């Protein structure tokens, strides 16, 4: 059991003075409970303290000094997916996203996690936020997949002897293909509409480079010149969502620096978690006089790929794509960025593509950044629930807008005995423009 936090008296109860969860946001909660039915942890466990309303109450208790930052208190926040479905549902406009971000940063400063937890988190951040290190893993992982070791290990039951976090990672591992690296500049086809930057992401760049390639092709076909700065680092999304504020700020500054020089109309992301983080740089760097204004200007230029493509009528002809596509809303797209209609409208432009709506679309699939690696049991339950709602629709493909969701849905569908293809929205648009079949993408 992790040790309790230091008990030295501080202002604001259990919190320190560096941006505690804002009292004015906490006070906005009128305890109506409208957020409860969309909260994945409340849906799973029906525990008040694992609901948005309960978590806000725990913050209030800590701020008043009536609760301390101990393992039980922290557990209720560790189990939160940060999906912010509660914000969409809240009629009082409670900005839970800001509350959980501030709370998590407090936890990382004021709570002493167990040695095992610290090591696990350090390892995850050291690899998942460093594309070069992730890339080094490609070769051993490729060998693992191509050598036939994977089915052998899975069939033997030996995997079950390994620590839970290793088996969780193994289950999520995507099928690796040859990397499709992008040139630094992809010219627009025809008259140029705009000059845009493309955030390559970390997991996206190394494990789903075909999604970045499809994004650049579609943008170019639609008249956008695409700049993908080679020196762009990780955007820091996983770190912000995990309360690692300082490191996240360093990466935010480096990301702004990499794109600012390229003189762009927009900075585009095709990974919902990264995109919502870029739009929050102004908040993340608000205390830094040298960067606050730059961050504000940068955030104002950031868009999800579906937002940009929906702005203008399509220029490239869409060819038919015969498929039944179940559309899964990524939480950081629908709740954090409010992007729900745009992907649907873009998919509706594809002749013969049938788009199927999922029940419970507001509820997270269990991916949520590193959630499925640090809370694998809850994540699996949510993944199984999502798979059980997808399968009866009999789709030929599942479509979504975030690499984390792609991994989580593939693993969940495989566990359910229905290993359906799961693709990014932009891959379907690209296939339709190029006139290639979905099978050729698998
Ligand atoms: S962010 Fe998601 S998991 Fe956390 S309280 Fe809100 S709805 Fe529940
Ligand atoms: S819906 Fe909003 S106001 Fe109502 S309990 Fe949830 S967070 Fe509080």
């Amino acid at each position: 059991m992790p040790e309790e936090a230091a008990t030295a008296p501080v202002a604001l109860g259990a919190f320190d003075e560096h941006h505690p969860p804002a009292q004015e946001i906490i006070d906005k909660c009128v305890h109506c409970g409208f957020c409860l039915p969309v909260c994945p942890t409340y849906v799973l466990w029906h525990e008040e303290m694992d609901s948005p309303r309960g978590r806000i109450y725990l913050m209030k208790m800590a701020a008043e000094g009536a609760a301390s930052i101990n393992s039980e208190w922290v557990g209720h926040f560790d189990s939160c997916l940060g999906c912010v479905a509660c914000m969409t549902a809240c009629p009082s406009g409670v900005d839970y996203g800001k509350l959980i971000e501030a709370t998590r940063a407090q936890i990382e400063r004021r709570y002493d996690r167990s040695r095992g937890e610290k090591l696990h988190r350090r390892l995850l951040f050291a690899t998942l936020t460093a594309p070069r290190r992730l890339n080094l893993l490609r070769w051993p992982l490729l060998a693992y997949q191509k050598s036939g070791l994977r089915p052998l290990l899975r069939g033997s039951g030996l995997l079950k002897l390994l620590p839970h976090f290793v088996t969780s990672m193994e289950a999520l591992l995507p099928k690796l293909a040859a990397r499709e690296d992008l040139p630094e500049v992809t010219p627009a086809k025809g008259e140029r509409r705009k000059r845009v930057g493309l955030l390559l992401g970390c997991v996206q760049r190394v494990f789903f480079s075909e999604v970045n390639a499809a994004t650049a092709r579609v943008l170019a076909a639609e008249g956008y010149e695409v700049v993908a700065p080679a020196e762009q680092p990780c955007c820091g999304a996983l770190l912000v969502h995990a309360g690692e504020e300082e490191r996240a700020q360093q990466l935010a500054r480096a990301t702004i620096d990499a794109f600012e020089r390229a003189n762009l109309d927009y900075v585009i992301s095709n990974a919902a978690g990264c995109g919502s983080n870029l739009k929050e740089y102004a908040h993340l760097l608000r205390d830094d006089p040298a960067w606050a204004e730059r961050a504000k200007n940068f955030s104002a230029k950031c868009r999800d790929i579906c937002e940009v493509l929906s702005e203008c009528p399509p220029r490239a002809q869409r060819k038919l794509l015969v498929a039944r596509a179940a559309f899964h809303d990524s939480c950081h797209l629908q709740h954090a960025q409010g992007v729900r209609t745009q992907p649907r409208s873009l998919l509706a432009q594809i002749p013969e593509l049938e788009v199927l709506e999922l029940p419970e679309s507001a509820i997270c699939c269990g991916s949520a950044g590193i959630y499925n690696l640090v809370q694998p049991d809850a994540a699996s339950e949510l993944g199984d629930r999502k798979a059980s709602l997808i399968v009866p629709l009999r789709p030929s493909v599942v479509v979504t807008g975030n690499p984390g969701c792609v991994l989580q849905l593939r693993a969940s569908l495989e566990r359910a005995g229905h290993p359906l293809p799961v693709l990014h929205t932009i891959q379907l648009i690209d296939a339709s423009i190029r006139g290639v079949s979905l099978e050729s993408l698998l």
Side-chain angles (χ1 to χ4, degrees):
M1 187 69 74
E3 291 158 31
E4 306 290 301
T7 51
V10 288
L12 299 161
F15 298 128
D16 66 27
E17 286 169 323
H18 180 67
H19 296 307
Q23 196 60 47
E24 62 271 23
I25 306 181
I26 292 176
D27 290 343
K28 267 183 144 182
C29 175
V30 296
H31 321 295
C32 64
F34 284 178
C35 52
L36 270 57
V38 296
C39 174
T41 50
Y42 186 78
V43 166
L44 286 185
W45 307 321
H46 300 287
E47 289 287 342
E48 176 67 17
M49 291 309 154
D50 288 312
S51 77
R53 183 173 65 186
R55 291 181 176 118
I56 293 169
Y57 181 69
L58 288 173
M59 292 171 197
K60 184 175 158 67
M61 298 277 285
E64 290 170 354
S68 58
I69 302 182
N70 58 29
S71 58
E72 195 187 334
W73 190 91
V74 169
H76 295 297
F77 293 101
D78 280 355
S79 67
C80 170
L81 291 106
C83 64
V84 293
C86 44
M87 280 176 63
T88 306
C90 178
S92 304
V94 173
D95 190 344
Y96 182 85
K98 296 273 185 315
L99 289 180
I100 187 70
E101 191 184 312
T103 302
R104 288 201 158 136
Q106 291 276 343
I107 290 173
E108 293 322 307
R109 286 198 300 277
R110 301 189 55 73
Y111 177 68
D112 196 13
R113 292 190 180 276
S114 70
R115 216 176 301 166
E117 253 184 293
K118 278 184 201 159
L119 183 66
H120 183 199
R121 288 167 66 91
R122 218 172 289 154
L123 270 174
L124 287 177
F125 295 135
T127 46
L128 295 177
T129 65
R132 284 201 181 98
R133 275 189 213 129
L134 263 184
N135 200 37
L136 288 177
L137 288 177
R138 271 181 65 84
W139 295 109
L141 291 175
L142 257 176
Y144 174 62
Q145 287 185 349
K146 302 270 179 211
S147 64
L149 199 59
R150 191 178 204 191
L152 204 71
L153 266 181
R154 284 183 167 190
S156 71
L158 276 175
L159 275 176
K160 294 199 181 94
L161 302 176
L162 296 170
H164 204 352
F165 75 88
V166 179
T167 50
S168 313
M169 283 180 106
E170 199 279 338
L172 291 170
L173 194 62
K175 197 171 134 208
L176 296 174
R179 261 187 80 158
E180 293 182 56
D181 287 326
L182 288 182
E184 196 135 340
V185 178
T186 305
K189 287 204 175 137
E191 193 190 337
R192 190 177 90 175
R193 273 174 164 162
K194 282 192 165 64
R195 179 174 157 91
V196 299
L198 179 61
L199 186 88
L200 298 174
C202 296
V203 169
Q204 195 87 290
R205 183 178 338 187
V206 177
F207 295 125
F208 295 110
S209 59
E210 66 277 15
V211 175
N212 284 339
T215 307
R217 272 195 302 268
V218 171
L219 283 167
E222 291 296 335
Y224 297 87
E225 183 183 16
V226 184
V227 183
E231 286 314 306
Q232 57 181 293
C234 162
C235 74
L238 291 181
L239 294 156
V240 172
H241 299 147
E244 303 283 342
E245 189 184 2
E246 220 175 290
R247 180 80 187 110
Q249 287 170 335
Q250 289 166 3
L251 290 173
R253 291 185 193 101
T255 303
I256 295 171
D257 215 27
F259 283 95
E260 249 181 3
R261 281 179 254 132
N263 190 25
L264 304 162
D265 296 305
Y266 291 141
V267 176
I268 295 178
S269 164
N270 55 19
C274 303
S276 70
N277 182 44
L278 298 182
K279 291 177 178 178
E280 290 292 326
Y281 274 2
H283 179 73
L284 183 66
L285 296 173
R286 64 197 180 285
D287 292 336
D288 186 337
W291 286 84
E293 198 55 32
R294 287 171 75 178
K296 209 163 137 189
N297 294 337
F298 178 84
S299 286
K301 284 186 177 181
C302 293
R303 302 279 188 285
D304 180 74
I305 176 67
C306 291
E307 286 181 286
V308 172
L309 293 176
S310 302
E311 268 183 9
C312 303
R315 192 186 272 180
Q317 195 207 341
R318 271 53 169 173
K319 302 181 188 84
L320 61 85
L321 204 59
V322 185
R324 286 170 59 83
F327 184 75
H328 166 70
D329 286 282
S330 148
C331 293
H332 277 93
L333 203 51
Q334 66 166 334
H335 300 307
Q337 300 186 59
V339 177
R340 257 185 75 81
T341 54
Q342 297 91 330
R344 288 172 171 80
S345 313
L346 293 169
L347 291 171
Q349 291 167 356
I350 301 177
E352 297 298 325
L353 182 75
E354 194 181 345
V355 180
L356 310 168
E357 292 293 335
L358 293 185
E360 293 190 2
S361 63
I363 295 182
C364 182
C365 64
S367 165
I370 57 166
Y371 192 86
N372 50 5
L373 300 174
V374 292
Q375 302 277 334
D377 295 333
S380 293
E381 271 190 74
L382 289 169
D384 292 346
R385 188 181 178 103
K386 198 58 83 180
S388 76
L389 295 168
I390 292 173
V391 171
L393 299 176
R394 296 180 293 104
S396 49
V397 60
V398 182
V399 189
T400 189
N402 192 46
C405 303
V406 171
L407 293 172
Q408 172 77 353
L409 293 174
R410 278 183 189 168
S412 305
L413 287 161
E414 196 177 319
R415 221 173 27 248
H418 295 274
L420 287 163
V422 185
L423 297 173
H424 193 288
T425 312
I426 200 70
Q427 289 179 282
L428 268 68
I429 300 171
D430 176 51
S432 165
I433 292 175
R434 290 194 292 144
V436 299
S437 68
L438 281 185
E439 289 69 33
S440 69
L441 307 182
L442 308 177

